[in-house]
């Protein structure tokens, strides 16, 4: 029997040749949009006391520049509560040189969004976009950050935005805010990042001007850029007209421990249990708690799967079906830190779960398997954060404001490699021997108090 075989057609030959040529051409892979992660962070202090930090990643197609002030909510007084959130929603309003319309119109034309974010320690104004567009938009960033003019009618027009942000908080965000207040009490790091409801109709322009005058100064300022040459940021910092010194007073972070309950009814309870963590000023302890955070469990780590071998995940699997979520959190500040667990569950199932969570936090050690898994996940988390230029610029700004220096992604992975299981267990022992705080919201009739857990 003769088998007939068709010879390749001319079209097939052309396609094969074209595919082969394209395969040879694609051996050179273009760098990712955010550039390569193996870069150095350059830091310089200017005569006007402004700190400049730059990630000069020449491969990056996107540039980000952030002007950061050490003026977060921990610097608010009782009378100025909520002033930082007012500054956040006022970003983009009229300045000394531009109207609100001019700022919005020109930034939209250049496709360079300007955002303002507020934390417990810093306020940051961030501009991002294509490198050529960011260069043209830097004047608007500087003016919004340092030359704001708080017109009374514009401040009043922003009150509805404050109400929306206040009402759109998730229960988890509300509980984390409460556990800070329970741990540090009603001052410093215990101040809420949201404006109190009773202050919504009493926003004073004078309070905004006073806060800016006291804390928007050269000694409290840093300019951080990614995909930008440090020489450009130095010239930008020299042009900013700020007072060198201002008010340096801040409430020290003292971990008091305590309990706050907000009974709001419903059928779900939200609970946060926390102890003292690590500050930015102690790198070894900082990285140890980062590994402990991942070792205990911070949710499902692999997308679209439920596989999780962490101690908190084991509690979740053994709990009733109505336990919705349980995850560890780790907040780091310049002179303190807050480490704990946030859980969400049906009110009737809370008693059989919260005791197991509290015992896990007070174990004082982790297994070798959890340590190795936590270290690898911590590395991946830092590297993924570095790939996102927006979040990494914020990390650099926090490091610079706290330590006067910053770590590159490669330095962070090397530092994590140097952490041993003994270091992580020492961090766990510090957590175990420290004071604990608990905050809860929702239906609380079955939520035990802190004194009951300590028995």
């Amino acid at each position: 029997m003769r088998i007939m075989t068709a010879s390749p057609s001319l079209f097939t030959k052309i396609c094969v040749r074209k595919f082969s040529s394209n395969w040879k051409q694609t051996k050179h892979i273009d760098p990712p949009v955010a550039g390569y992660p193996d870069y150095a962070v350059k830091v310089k202090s200017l005569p006007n006391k402004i700190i400049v930090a730059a990630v000069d990643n020449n491969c990056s197609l996107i540039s980000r520049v952030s002007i950061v002030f050490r003026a977060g909510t921990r610097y608010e007084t009782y009378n100025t509560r909520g002033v930082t959130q007012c500054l956040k929603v006022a970003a983009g309003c009229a300045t000394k040189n531009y109207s609100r319309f001019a700022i919005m119109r020109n930034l939209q034309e250049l496709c360079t969004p300007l955002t303002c974010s507020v934390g417990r320690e810093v306020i940051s104004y961030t501009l991002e976009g294509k490198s050529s567009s960011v260069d043209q938009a830097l004047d608007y960033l500087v003016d919004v950050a340092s030359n704001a003019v708080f017109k009374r009618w514009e401040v009043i027009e922003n009150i509805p935005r404050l109400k929306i942000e206040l009402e759109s908080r998730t229960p988890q965000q509300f509980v984390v805010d409460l556990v800070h207040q329970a741990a540090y009490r009603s001052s410093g790091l215990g101040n809420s990042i949201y404006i109190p409801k009773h202050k919504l109709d009493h926003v004073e322009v004078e309070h905004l001007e006073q806060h800016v005058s006291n804390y928007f100064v050269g000694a409290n300022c840093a300019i951080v850029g990614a995909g930008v040459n440090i020489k450009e940021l130095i010239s930008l910092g020299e042009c900013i007209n700020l007072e060198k010194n201002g008010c340096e007073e801040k409430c020290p972070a003292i971990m008091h421990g305590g309990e706050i309950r907000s009974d709001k009814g419903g059928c779900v309870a939200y609970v946060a249990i926390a102890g003292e963590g690590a500050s930015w000023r102690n790198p070894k302890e900082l990285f140890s708690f980062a590994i402990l955070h991942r070792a205990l469990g911070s949710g499902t780590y692999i997308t679209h799967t439920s596989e999780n071998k962490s101690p908190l995940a084991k509690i979740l699997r053994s709990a009733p079906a109505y336990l919705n979520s349980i995850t560890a959190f780790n907040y780091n500040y310049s002179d303190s830190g807050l480490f704990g667990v946030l859980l969400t569950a049906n009110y009737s199932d809370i008693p059989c779960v919260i005791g197991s969570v509290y015992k896990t936090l007070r174990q004082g050690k982790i297994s070798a398997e959890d340590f190795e898994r936590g270290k690898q996940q911590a590395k991946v988390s830092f590297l993924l954060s570095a790939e996102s230029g927006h979040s990494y610029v914020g990390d650099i700004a926090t490091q610079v404001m706290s330590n006067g220096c910053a770590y590159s992604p490669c330095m962070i992975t090397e530092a994590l490699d140097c952490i041993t299981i003994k270091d992580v267990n020492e961090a766990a022992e510090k957590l175990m021997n420290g004071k604990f705080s608990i905050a809860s919201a929702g239906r609380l009739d079955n939520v035990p108090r802190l004194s009951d857990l300590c028995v």
Side-chain angles (χ1 to χ4, degrees), residues 67-93:
I67 299 178
V68 185
F69 294 97
R70 193 185 294 110
T73 57
R74 75 176 300 175
Y75 298 94
E76 295 176 350
T77 64
Y78 181 83
N79 293 326
T80 61
R81 293 275 175 88
V83 68
T84 52
Q85 192 184 7
C86 294
L87 290 173
K88 174 187 173 183
V89 299
C93 290

Side-chain angles (χ1 to χ4, degrees), residues 45-60:
S45 183
L46 303 182
N48 57 6
K49 295 189 176 182
I50 295 177
I51 300 176
V52 175
V55 176
D56 191 2
N57 197 338
N58 296 325
C59 299
S60 177

Side-chain angles (χ1 to χ4, degrees), residues 139-387:
D139 287 342
Y140 302 106
L141 173 65
V142 172
D143 226 48
V144 168
S146 61
N147 292 323
V149 177
F150 303 107
K151 297 179 179 179
R152 190 172 298 277
W153 58 90
E154 287 187 338
V155 173
I156 294 175
E157 288 176 355
N158 287 330
I159 292 178
R161 288 186 58 191
L162 292 173
K163 292 181 179 180
I164 291 173
E165 288 193 1
L166 196 61
E167 296 299 329
S168 61
R169 288 179 300 178
T170 64
Q172 289 84 355
Q173 291 173 330
F174 178 64
V175 169
V176 169
D177 209 39
L178 287 182
V179 81
H180 277 82
Q181 185 177 345
Y184 299 105
R185 297 187 180 172
S186 301
S187 60
L189 292 176
N191 289 341
S192 173
I193 58 175
Y194 298 97
I195 185 172
K197 288 186 177 180
H198 68 272
K199 298 278 289 185
L200 283 172
D201 296 325
H202 302 88
V203 178
E204 300 290 342
V205 174
E206 292 76 13
H207 291 165
L208 275 68
E209 294 172 343
Q210 179 186 359
H211 193 82
V212 169
S213 175
N214 288 340
Y215 299 106
F216 281 40
V217 295
N220 291 339
C221 179
I223 303 176
V224 180
V228 184
N229 192 291
I230 193 170
K231 293 181 180 179
E232 298 177 15
L233 296 185
I234 290 174
S235 60
L236 179 68
E238 292 172 344
C239 296
I240 297 181
N241 184 21
L242 295 174
E243 296 290 336
K244 286 189 177 181
N245 297 299
C247 180
E248 294 292 335
E249 295 181 1
K250 73 174 181 179
C251 183
I254 301 175
M255 176 67 69
H256 297 281
E259 180 178 6
I260 295 181
R261 298 165 69 91
S262 178
D263 199 333
K264 295 182 177 295
C267 59
V268 181
Y270 307 89
V271 182
I273 309 173
E276 187 170 12
S279 70
W280 282 100
R281 294 177 182 175
N282 190 339
K284 183 178 179 180
E285 192 174 75
L286 179 73
F287 293 127
S288 298
F289 269 100
I291 294 174
L292 181 62
H293 174 215
R294 297 294 174 178
L296 289 183
S298 55
T300 302
Y301 200 74
I302 303 174
T303 308
H304 306 305
T305 182
S306 59
E307 182 180 1
N308 196 331
K309 299 179 180 179
S310 66
L312 294 181
K314 294 175 182 177
I315 296 175
L316 184 65
R317 286 194 293 268
S318 62
Y322 292 103
L323 179 61
N324 296 333
S325 67
I326 178 170
T327 180
F329 60 82
N330 182 27
Y331 294 95
N332 308 111
Y333 304 105
S334 60
D335 55 349
S336 184
L338 199 64
F339 186 97
V341 174
L342 175 66
L343 60 97
T344 305
N346 187 282
Y347 75 98
S348 60
D349 302 324
I350 279 287
C352 63
V353 176
I354 196 170
S356 301
V357 171
Y358 186 70
K359 289 178 182 178
T360 301
L361 284 175
R362 301 208 64 173
Q363 280 182 350
K365 62 180 180 179
I366 60 173
S367 66
E369 180 183 357
D370 289 335
F371 168 74
E372 291 299 332
R373 178 182 47 78
K375 177 183 282 191
Q376 296 303 322
Q377 289 186 3
K379 284 183 186 179
V380 173
S381 177
F382 278 114
L383 292 175
L384 289 176
S385 176
E387 283 188 1

